[in-house]
């Protein structure tokens, strides 16, 4: 406590998102006289008053009237007036504190509860002044204290042990730190895979450190010394150690000279009193203000604010509560409270013959025992403990004990599983059924609620909405890993207030108003929550507001269908969240407000809907099959298993080096099974080299049978596939146009003149020139042009170098240069430039030159303002403005501190080119390369023409292959998946190999550009358009604002799919894509109108959400199977129709023949027709069935002019 | 899937009735078969063809006869401009209603009915319209049919490439989903020229008077806004400027509605604004607001009332005017034309010069030059009348040339290179203490490109105070916090700058105050000291220093010396200029060009020009053949032969 002070003091208070910190300073010496630090549990004003009281008590003799108070922190602003305090922005406060206390510090990294800040001090070379350039996370980024807190809860390690952990980079696992929600999901998955807590936390620390280093520094390099501030940095030694490892690595990479002779703990350090820096800085700031600013007025104003002022302001911005009256609530409760399930009493000695259904969910696992009649015998529930086998064993024990404890005997007829655990259980206990969650939910909902239109399942981690038609899933929407509004959010919110989630509804119903949250991502919602809390909303009100945002998240954010009524009138709500009546009330109100006559049901066993679905499916399967594969409940309960996760289990089949977990189970009969988790591709599912080779061979076979044109296009675009015509000899005659320019007018005159060539030395030089081009963005649609242009002027084909295909390693290695955070396809360009600079260019600086050196002379990354497009009647063919601008952004990123190009002797060339004006492009190519390479304009123009030719060949080739696939699937009543995306979505690093997932299921994949655009072909599908005079490639009837070339092509491809019965859609868009966003509604309308099967992933980003991809692929595969069946049925019906028409025709013709015979006439043609028809009808009776094709094999075929489908050679090449 | 079975299966043919004898008629086999096929299709359950969706809200028109009954709804620019546009269009005989600045309710409606992943301006503007219509329906009790019949929305359209170009798509989607299917949104294109949508039965005639009315309102609003931002930070009585502004706006509104002289009105407005008491020696950080057009222009929830917040943090805002945006549009066309005029073969497409005759390029450039000069002169005239002295509209060529090295002038969308160019100008020419770049979350051209390049600019010019902030419609606290962080530095910079001014001139604040008290002309709210440094107060000190410290004679002598220097420079420069002129006249190229002009004119006079039309027609014909030829129609580009072939 402070000593007796007679003089005035200065008080600094820092109100953060979780704590309040206060310091009292001597205004002259800036000595800290008193300090304290308290968690505020969201009661900021109360805590501030408490601290003020303590300060007043500590300094009884100091004159109050001369005190000055300065406040900082995210929660301070509304409290200032109450104390007479002056508000100081926190970064300014921290900056001043650091400048004052550590003049030698070069950068500061502060991790707070809700925000992260990096301050880099830069010295102005001219004036010598130090200027601080601060950077704060935008609200989307993660890497903050709150994320760390949440993840530590998930790991479940006591804090006493957490501080013992040391950073170890030998066992790191993938954690996406870009967003708090992603990180949390990854952490949960790691915990579930049985990864030790210290490895999980080290992985989290590493992810957060790298995230901050790559994003928050905005591409700048930290300057030494580095000061670490904020709660997590202060208290978590492993986090400090992680900074000390990673920062010097970045320094070395960038050639920054840091004091290597001193211990790193001195260079990157946590100061004493780190938590008080902001409060201290606020005082330093305040003392520079005029006297009188921040004069302490006593705490009375703040007390007044707490009691009255706060509430009065709220009414203005808040919305209505969940219910207007107590009666409304009690009526609602009567109607919607889920009756408590009481398991039926079992008789002593009764034999229960039943199946087990198990749903291994993300946060909790559930199991049900369902008897042969479909009645529930009992249920079991537990929070997932991280190991699916252990969870299953415990659940099964619960079920068994329930039966046995009542003296009955249990005979398990079968076992079915769904959810995250289904795969491992299928393998280890030989489950009879392994179905995807969506289908399980559908089966259960239909069973209990009859014919329904919409099923909305809100689970712990995700939201699933299924749209039904004819008793099956017609379409579905799933939340992606980014969205919120799920049960977890409500749970977390209840936790924040120390409230059991079971009391959520009672509390929320007590609110008289509710703050209006804006819907969307959980991180944003949490920011809102903090803000509302600061404004003074009570916990009742916050909980009510949050319940109200739930339906918005479901219907507006995930489902994206504003007109709910279009979906139908019967809705089923299920999933564990429905136990929370506040959430149900909000949902029911939302739906009923928008759908007249809506009926909203809550599933009677809402939490176990998935498990029940699995059980019902098991019943069906074992009844049909007569036997079960399940190893038996006792065997399952006693299953021995070991998990292994060490050096040995690391997958080395590709550079990813996934850290896998092996779960080895030994069944009682001695048989063993190994389940492998934690890999990112199916290469990880094998253990040995031989098995690996077999798997790859198997995949190749499938790939050959099921061509993937997306993959083909992504490779072919960069290959040399055309030998450009040689340059004409010097002097050979060429036709040209000469421009005769006046001041006012210009005339063009045709002429013939000799072709001009460059000198021999230039040709020699060209043979050695190497040009690097990043394999990104619209280069995917233009690379054939650029490659063949360079080849045509005489650069050897191996000297046109493209960067490698995007991979996660490439991104981790090269993703730290950008200063902005646009969509991933644009951001990843920096990793490609890095790849060219550091992997395709030698010598490296400092190294001695050697003859093997492969030096890049240029990195060529053209600004493409307009891109190739086949759109007809479009308004323009523009590229996305971000994509077009990336080359300039890259130039800035790689030259701003160190000119990485100049220091490596490379020239960065980024001219603006347009693919909608090829004459201008030819001119600009010459202007760019003429002076640099010494070529003549004639040569450049020749190369341009050859490049165009190559481009045409490329396009033609794709379409030929596409046509082969289309005609094959049509002839065989199969489906092909058309991946609609932007050209660069064929980059496997961007599409996360989702097309391949479908390819291995046996579906050929088409790309947008592989759809044949020949008039005769399109005429088959665009009859209506052609009839009304519209070009088949014109999309103005659905979207006239078609400026964006790639979006327009996407919309056209969707139109095509809507018209082709054998084409289904897979729609990929990147997170933040501004050019795709306006087309979502249009695509939706086209697809819904024509009932084309459609699956969309609209937010693909850097990290691969494997779980989410898997469930989508499985669900979509289910729909596609049904669609194929329907196609088959339709073909059969068409056959039936043809036969019956022929019969009728024969009948009519015979009648006509009789008529004519009556008139004694004869018509040989009629006779012949009758004979032919008779033959044909006989062939219907005994149709020549073609030999059954081996399952899954498609031989590519083509329709001839006569309508017959024959095998084609081109198709077979497609897969190569 | 359920099978549909029909009981009314037709076994016998309807035409071959039993009572007719077979010889009576011939069987029409085809007709019989057709009828049978239909029945069979139904029996077997073969699905009808797929239904294909087409947008039914395209090309909705307003008719002349509707003018009396239909109200044009407008919103989207600054409050002053929307208000004045309402007045200006009323003068043309339309019913017009400005329904207010976009607010958070609009944002919520926009998010509910719009596509996911849109930018803020889209949500705000689209949502505000939808919200207004919902209010008309739910609060005022109008039926949706009546609303669709009686209102249309008029707004500016754009030509990509950012989301702004696709607003209309969003309007249609949101209106349809909110239950206003068929509601009309009428667009006038930014670059569509003055002759769109006119004719016999057009309800909203987008003719020259229409555009002139809008431009008058916009420029008038610009001038008043610029004045307001100049005066407000220095007002002695809080709120006085806003009151004066309201009055000034009303005066101009009346004039625009009644077609009376706008200059007289502006002069009256000037008198009103002159009445605001100010203290011009306050150190205010000159704050240049740049960024995405809508985010920096709106004055409501869309940017958390940024302008007001900045003023509360000690800023004098230097806002970007809509007039400057129009100048940018003109610059774009002129630049694109110049870039293409020397191609040996002209391209087609939106920017290519294909189809222009020999004088086409010169005509196009002259037109753009004329438009620019006209707009600048008009603005100057309005500005002078209203008392906006010494205001410089940006030099588009200068902004473009300083930016081009870092941000290609060919990149379009949003503000294009202008953000980068303006920041460089602000720094190099000391135009502002701080540059605040405001943009919606995820704005493609601004946060996706400009900010990436700005990081290089700030590194190149240390000491630059550059604050880039994104607006997302929620979380105002973070937004304000970030702005405060930078404003702190800017305020200190402005204070230092003023202190330097006193130091350099050797004056004290009291001396300057005394001078201002005795010379009210310099203390007037409309007075604008010439630019020397960023801050207005410091500029004023530099301006009045000689007046205080030197006698009239000294000043006159200094002025004379300065004038002499200018003259001397001019004189010294004259021979050089003369030499240049002579060289130009003697240059063979000049002769060649003149000769070409002569030949062209002669051709024209001799009627030979018609001959040039033939090849052009052939070219066009060739294009038509090309387009209709399936062999080549899949090509993505127009594969015209170029140059040396």
């Amino acid at each position: 406590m402070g000593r007796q002070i007679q003089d005035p003091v200065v008080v600094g208070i820092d109100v953060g998102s979780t704590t309040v910190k206060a310091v009292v300073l001597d205004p002259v010496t800036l000595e800290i006289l008193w300090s304290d630090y308290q968690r505020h549990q969201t009661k900021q004003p109360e805590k501030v008053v408490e601290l003020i009281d303590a300060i007043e008590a500590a300094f009884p003799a100091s004159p109050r009237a001369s005190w000055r108070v300065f406040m900082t922190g995210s929660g301070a602003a509304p409290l200032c007036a109450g104390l007479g305090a002056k508000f100081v922005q926190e970064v300014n406060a921290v900056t001043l504190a650091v400048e004052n206390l550590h003049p030698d510090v070069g950068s500061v990294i502060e991790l707070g509860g809700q925000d992260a800040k990096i301050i880099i001090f830069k010295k102005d070379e001219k004036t010598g002044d130090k200027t601080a350039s601060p950077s704060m996370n935008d609200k989307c980024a993660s890497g903050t204290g709150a994320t760390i807190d949440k993840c530590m809860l998930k790991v479940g390690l006591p804090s006493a042990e957490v501080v013992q952990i040391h950073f170890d980079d030998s066992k790191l696992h993938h954690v996406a730190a870009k967003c708090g929600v992603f990180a949390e999901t990854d952490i949960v998955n790691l915990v579930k895979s049985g990864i030790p807590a210290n490895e999980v936390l080290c992985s989290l620390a590493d992810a957060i450190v790298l995230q901050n280093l790559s994003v928050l520094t905005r591409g700048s390099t930290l300057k030494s010394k580095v000061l670490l501030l904020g709660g997590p940095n202060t208290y978590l030694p492993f986090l400090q150690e992680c900074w000390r490892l990673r920062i010097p690595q970045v320094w070395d990479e960038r050639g920054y000279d840091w004091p290597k002779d001193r211990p790193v703990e001195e260079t990157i350090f946590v100061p004493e009193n780190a938590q008080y820096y902001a409060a201290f800085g606020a005082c330093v700031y305040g003392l520079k203000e005029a006297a009188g600013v921040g004069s302490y007025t006593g705490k009375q104003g703040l007390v007044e604010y707490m009691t009255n002022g706060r509430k009065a302001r709220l009414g203005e911005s808040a919305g209505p509560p969940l219910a207007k009256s107590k009666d409304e609530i009690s009526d609602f409760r009567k109607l919607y409270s889920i009756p408590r399930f009481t398991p039926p009493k079992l008789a002593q000695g009764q034999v229960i013959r039943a199946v087990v259904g198990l749903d291994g969910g993300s946060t909790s696992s559930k199991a049900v025992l369902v008897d042969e009649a479909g009645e529930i015998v009992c249920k079991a529930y537990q929070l997932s403990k991280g190991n699916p086998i252990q969870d299953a064993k415990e659940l099964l024990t619960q079920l068994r004990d329930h039966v046995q404890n009542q003296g009955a005997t249990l005979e398990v007829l079968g076992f079915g599983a769904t959810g995250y655990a289904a795969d491992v259980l299928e393998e280890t206990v030989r489950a009879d059924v392994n179905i995807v969650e969506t289908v399980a939910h559908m089966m259960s909902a239909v069973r209990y609620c009859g014919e329904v239109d919409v099923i909305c399942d809100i689970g712990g981690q995700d939201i699933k909405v299924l749209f039904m038609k004819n008793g099956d899933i017609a379409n579905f929407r799933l939340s992606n890993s980014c969205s919120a509004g799920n049960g977890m959010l409500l749970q977390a919110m209840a936790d924040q207030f120390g409230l059991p989630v079971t009391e959520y509804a009672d509390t929320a119903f007590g609110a008289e108003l509710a703050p209006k949250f804006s819907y969307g991502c959980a991180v944003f919602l949490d920011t809102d929550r903090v803000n509302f809390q600061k404004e003074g909303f009570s916990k009742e009100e916050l909980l009510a507001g949050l319940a109200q945002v739930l339906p918005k998240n479901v219907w507006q954010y995930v489902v994206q269908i504003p007109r709910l009524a279009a979906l139908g009138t019967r809705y089923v709500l299920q999933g564990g969240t429905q136990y929370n009546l506040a959430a149900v009330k909000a949902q029911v109100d939302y739906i009923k407000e928008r759908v007249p006559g809506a009926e909203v049901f809550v599933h009677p066993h809402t939490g176990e809907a998935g498990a029940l679905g699995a059980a019902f499916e098991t019943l069906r399967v074992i009844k049909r099959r007569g036997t079960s594969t399940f190893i038996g409940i006792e065997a399952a309960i006693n299953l021995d298993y070991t998990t292994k996760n060490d050096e040995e289990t690391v997958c080395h089949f590709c550079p990813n080096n996934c850290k896998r977990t092996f779960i080895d189970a030994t069944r009682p009969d001695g048989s063993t099974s190994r389940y492998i988790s934690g890999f990112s591709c199916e290469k990880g599912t094998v253990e040995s080299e031989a098995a690996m080779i077999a798997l790859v061979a198997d995949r190749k076979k499938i790939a050959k049978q099921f061509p993937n044109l997306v993959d083909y296009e992504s490779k072919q675009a960069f290959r040399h596939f055309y030998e450009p015509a040689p340059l004409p000899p010097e002097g050979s005659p060429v036709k040209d146009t000469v421009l005769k320019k006046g001041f006012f007018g210009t005339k063009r005159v045709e002429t013939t003149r000799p072709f001009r060539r460059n000198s021999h030395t230039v040709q020699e030089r060209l043979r050695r020139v190497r040009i690097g081009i990043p394999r990104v963005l619209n280069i995917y649609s233009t690379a054939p042009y650029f490659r063949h242009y360079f080849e045509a002027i005489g650069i050897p084909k191996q000297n046109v170098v493209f960067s490698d295909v995007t991979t996660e390693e490439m991104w981790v290695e090269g993703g730290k240069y950008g200063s902005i955070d646009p969509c991933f396809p644009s951001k990843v360009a920096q990793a490609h430039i890095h790849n060219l600079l550091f992997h395709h260019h030698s010598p490296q600086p400092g190294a001695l030159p050697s003859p093997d050196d492969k030096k890049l002379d240029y990195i060529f990354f053209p600004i493409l303002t307009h891109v190739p497009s086949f759109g007809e009647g479009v308004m323009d063919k523009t590229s996305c403005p971000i994509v077009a601008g990336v080359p300039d952004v890259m130039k800035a990123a790689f030259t701003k501190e160190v000119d990485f190009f100049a220091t490596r002797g490379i020239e960065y060339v980024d001219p603006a080119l347009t693919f909608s004006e090829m004459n201008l492009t030819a001119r600009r190519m010459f202007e760019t390369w003429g002076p640099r390479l010494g070529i003549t304009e004639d040569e450049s123009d020749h190369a341009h023409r050859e490049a165009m030719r190559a481009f045409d060949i490329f396009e033609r080739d794709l379409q030929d292959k596409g046509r082969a696939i289309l005609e094959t699937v049509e002839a065989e009543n199969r489906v092909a998946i058309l991946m609609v995306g932007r050209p660069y979505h064929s980059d496997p690093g961007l599409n996360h190999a989702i097309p391949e997932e479908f390819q291995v299921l046996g579906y050929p994949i088409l790309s947008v550009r592989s759809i044949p655009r020949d008039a005769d072909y399109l005429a088959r599908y665009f009859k209506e358009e052609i009839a009304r005079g519209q070009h088949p490639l014109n999309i103005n009837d659905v979207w006239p604002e078609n400026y964006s070339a790639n979006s327009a092509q996407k919309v056209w491809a969707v139109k095509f799919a809507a018209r082709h019965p054998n084409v289904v859609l897979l729609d990929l868009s990147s997170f933040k894509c501004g050019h795709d966003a306006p087309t979502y509604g249009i695509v939706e309308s086209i697809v819904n109108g024509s009932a084309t099967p459609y699956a969309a992933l609209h937010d693909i980003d850097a990290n691969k959400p494997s779980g989410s991809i898997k469930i989508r692929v499985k669900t979509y595969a289910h729909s596609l199977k049904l669609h194929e069946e329907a196609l088959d049925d339709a073909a059969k019906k068409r056959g039936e129709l043809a036969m019956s028409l022929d019969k009728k025709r024969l009948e009519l013709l015979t009648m006509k023949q009789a008529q004519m015979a009556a008139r004694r006439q004869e018509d040989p043609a009629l006779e012949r027709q009758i004979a032919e028809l008779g033959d044909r009808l006989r062939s219907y009776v005994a149709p020549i069935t073609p030999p059954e094709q081996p399952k899954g094999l498609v031989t590519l075929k083509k329709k001839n002019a006569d309508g017959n489908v024959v095998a084609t050679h081109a198709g077979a090449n497609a897969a190569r | 899937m359920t099978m549909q079975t029909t009981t009314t299966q037709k076994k016998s043919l309807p035409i071959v009735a039993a009572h007719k004898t077979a010889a009576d008629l011939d069987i029409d086999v085809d007709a019989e078969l057709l009828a049978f096929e239909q029945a069979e299709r139904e029996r077997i359950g073969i699905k009808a063809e797929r239904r294909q969706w087409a947008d039914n809200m395209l090309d909705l028109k307003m008719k002349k006869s509707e003018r009396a009954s239909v109200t044009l709804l407008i919103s989207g620019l600054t409050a002053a401009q929307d208000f004045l546009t309402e007045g200006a269009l009323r003068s043309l005989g339309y019913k017009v209603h400005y329904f207010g600045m976009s607010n958070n309710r609009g944002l919520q409606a926009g998010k509910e009915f719009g596509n996911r992943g849109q930018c803020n301006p889209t949500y705000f503007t689209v949502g505000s319209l939808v919200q207004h219509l919902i209010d008309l329906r739910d609060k005022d009790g109008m039926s949706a049919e009546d609303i669709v019949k009686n209102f249309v929305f008029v707004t500016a359209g754009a030509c990509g490439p950012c989301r702004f170009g696709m607003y209309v798509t969003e309007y249609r989607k949101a209106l349809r989903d909110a239950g206003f299917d068929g509601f009309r949104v009428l667009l006038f294109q930014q670059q569509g020229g003055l002759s769109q949508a006119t004719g016999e039965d057009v309800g909203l005639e987008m003719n020259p008077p229409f555009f002139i009315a809008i431009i008058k309102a916009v420029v008038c609003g610009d001038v008043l806004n610029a004045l307001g931002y100049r005066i407000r930070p220095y007002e002695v009585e809080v709120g006085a400027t806003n009151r004066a502004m309201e009055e000034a706006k009303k005066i101009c509104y009346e004039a625009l509605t009644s077609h009376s002289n706008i200059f007289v009105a502006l002069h009256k407005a000037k008198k009103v604004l002159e009445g605001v008491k100010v203290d011009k020696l306050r150190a205010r950080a000159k704050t240049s607001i740049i960024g995405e057009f809508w985010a920096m222009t709106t004055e409501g929830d869309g940017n958390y009332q940024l302008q007001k917040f900045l003023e509360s943090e000690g800023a004098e805002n230097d806002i970007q005017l809509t007039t400057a945006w129009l100048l940018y549009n003109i610059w774009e066309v002129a630049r694109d034309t110049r870039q293409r005029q020397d191609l040996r073969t002209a391209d087609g497409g939106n920017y290519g010069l294909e189809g222009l005759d020999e004088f086409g390029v010169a005509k196009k450039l002259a037109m753009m030059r004329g438009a620019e000069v006209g707009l600048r002169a008009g603005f100057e005239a309005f500005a002078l009348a209203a008392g906006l002295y010494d205001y410089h509209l940006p030099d588009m060529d200068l902004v473009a040339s300083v930016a081009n090295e870092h941000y290609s002038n060919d990149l379009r969308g949003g503000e294009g290179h202008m953000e980068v160019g303006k920041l460089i100008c602000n720094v190099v020419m000391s135009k502002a203490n701080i540059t605040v770049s405001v943009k919606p979350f995820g704005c493609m051209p601004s946060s996706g490109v400009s900010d990436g390049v700005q990081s290089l600019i700030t590194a190149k010019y240390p000491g630059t105070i550059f604050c880039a902030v994104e607006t997302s419609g929620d979380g105002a606290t973070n937004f304000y916090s970030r702005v405060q962080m930078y404003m702190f530095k800017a305020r200190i910079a402005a204070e230092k700058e003023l202190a330097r001014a006193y130091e350099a001139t050797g004056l004290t604040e009291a001396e300057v105050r005394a001078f201002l008290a005795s010379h009210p002309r310099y203390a007037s709210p409309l007075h604008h000291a010439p630019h020397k440094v960023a801050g207005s107060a410091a500029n004023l000190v530099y301006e009045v220093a000689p007046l205080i410290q030197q006698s009239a004679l000294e000043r006159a002598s200094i002025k004379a010396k300065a004038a002499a220097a200018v003259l001397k420079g001019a004189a010294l420069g004259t021979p050089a200029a003369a030499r240049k002129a002579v060289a130009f006249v003697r240059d063979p190229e000049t002769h060649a060009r003149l000769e070409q002009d002569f030949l062209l004119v002669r051709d024209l006079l001799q009627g030979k020009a018609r001959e040039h039309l033939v090849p052009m027609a052939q070219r066009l014909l060739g294009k038509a053949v090309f387009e209709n030829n399936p062999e080549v129609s899949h090509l993505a580009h127009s594969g015209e032969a170029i140059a040396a072939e």
Side-chain angles (χ1 to χ4, degrees), chain A residues 918-980:
Chain A
M918 291 320 284
N919 293 318
L920 181 61
T921 290
R923 167 62 60 88
R924 294 237 169 119
M925 282 300 272
F926 170 67
E927 283 169 357
T928 305
W929 295 111
R932 287 184 173 85
L933 301 176
I935 55 174
T936 67
E937 184 158 14
D938 285 353
E939 289 171 326
S940 178
D941 287 348
H942 167 84
H944 169 81
R945 281 190 300 276
E946 287 304 304
M948 297 291 291
R949 228 156 259 156
F951 189 80
D952 296 344
I953 291 168
F954 172 67
E955 291 268 319
R956 187 69 258 164
D957 174 50
L958 280 179
Q959 292 179 53
D960 286 345
K961 290 190 167 52
R963 187 160 180 164
I965 289 179
L966 282 165
E967 292 184 338
T968 307
V969 290
E970 200 171 2
E972 295 178 355
N973 300 318
R974 306 181 61 93
V975 297
I977 295 177
L978 170 59
M979 191 197 93
V980 285

Side-chain angles (χ1 to χ4, degrees), chain A residues 457-484:
Chain A
D457 184 282
I458 306 179
Q461 288 279 356
D462 45 24
I463 298 169
K464 308 180 193 78
V465 182
L466 312 172
F467 312 124
M468 305 286 293
K469 215 162 244 171
N470 302 326
D472 209 326
I473 302 175
N475 206 340
F476 66 96
R477 289 285 185 286
L478 304 176
S479 58
N480 49 39
S481 44
C482 179
S483 89

Side-chain angles (χ1 to χ4, degrees), chain A residues 184-389:
Chain A
E184 229 174 300
T185 311
D186 282 349
I187 294 291
V188 169
N189 286 335
L190 288 178
V191 171
K192 277 190 195 313
S193 320
I195 309 287
N198 60 331
E199 287 179 29
V200 176
L201 288 178
C202 286
S203 308
L204 174 69
D206 198 47
I208 285 177
V209 164
L210 289 176
Q211 164 75 10
N212 280 321
L213 283 179
S214 61
V215 175
L216 204 55
T217 55
R218 311 261 181 242
S220 302
T221 309
L222 295 172
K223 303 273 180 291
S224 118
K225 297 170 158 184
V226 181
L227 187 69
L228 304 176
L229 292 178
N233 275 339
T234 317
Y235 299 114
L236 303 175
F238 63 95
L239 188 61
Q240 298 171 10
E241 288 158 7
C242 186
W243 287 116
R244 289 187 185 122
L245 179 76
R246 296 298 180 208
I247 294 172
Q249 282 177 350
V250 175
W251 280 341
D252 288 341
E253 205 174 285
R254 305 228 174 139
Y256 175 76
D257 188 24
W258 58 287
K260 296 187 187 67
D261 50 335
R262 313 208 52 94
V264 70
E265 288 78 13
E266 262 181 41
T267 311
I268 300 167
F269 69 105
V270 181
E272 271 180 54
N273 289 332
Q275 65 273 35
Y276 297 116
Y277 270 50
F280 177 87
C283 294
V284 177
Y285 175 101
L287 289 170
K288 291 188 180 171
E289 293 276 313
V293 172
S295 282
Y296 181 52
T297 54
K299 65 180 182 192
Q300 208 39 51
L302 194 54
V303 175
E304 173 71 15
Y305 170 80
M306 271 154 52
T307 44
N308 301 320
R310 175 158 70 163
K311 268 281 175 272
R313 273 203 352 246
L314 301 181
E316 299 162 12
S317 59
L322 280 168
K324 289 181 193 73
S325 66
K326 289 231 156 50
D327 290 349
E328 191 187 338
I329 297 170
S330 70
D331 287 351
F332 184 80
R333 274 186 203 282
K334 266 183 226 145
L335 208 55
Y336 279 100
S337 286
I338 299 165
R340 181 174 289 279
F341 169 73
T342 19
K345 271 251 166 289
L346 307 177
Q348 191 78 17
Q350 192 182 347
V351 178
I352 304 296
R353 289 165 53 82
V355 295
V356 176
L358 189 146
D359 179 3
S362 52
T363 41
S364 61
S365 296
K366 298 127 244 176
V368 288
L369 200 58
V370 175
D371 69 17
E372 285 175 291
E375 297 302 322
I376 303 174
V377 180
C378 61
K379 301 176 179 177
Y381 169 91
Q382 74 172 41
L383 284 174
S384 300
K385 289 184 180 161
N387 183 314
I389 297 182

Side-chain angles (χ1 to χ4, degrees), chain A residues 6-18:
Chain A
Q6 311 290 328
D7 299 324
V9 293
V10 184
V11 181
I13 304 175
D14 173 11
V15 187
S17 53
T18 47

Side-chain angles (χ1 to χ4, degrees), chain A residues 660-674:
Chain A
R660 300 175 299 177
T661 305
F662 287 5
I663 302 175
D664 288 319
T666 315
R667 304 186 192 95
D669 64 1
S671 65
T672 57
S673 76
R674 167 168 283 180

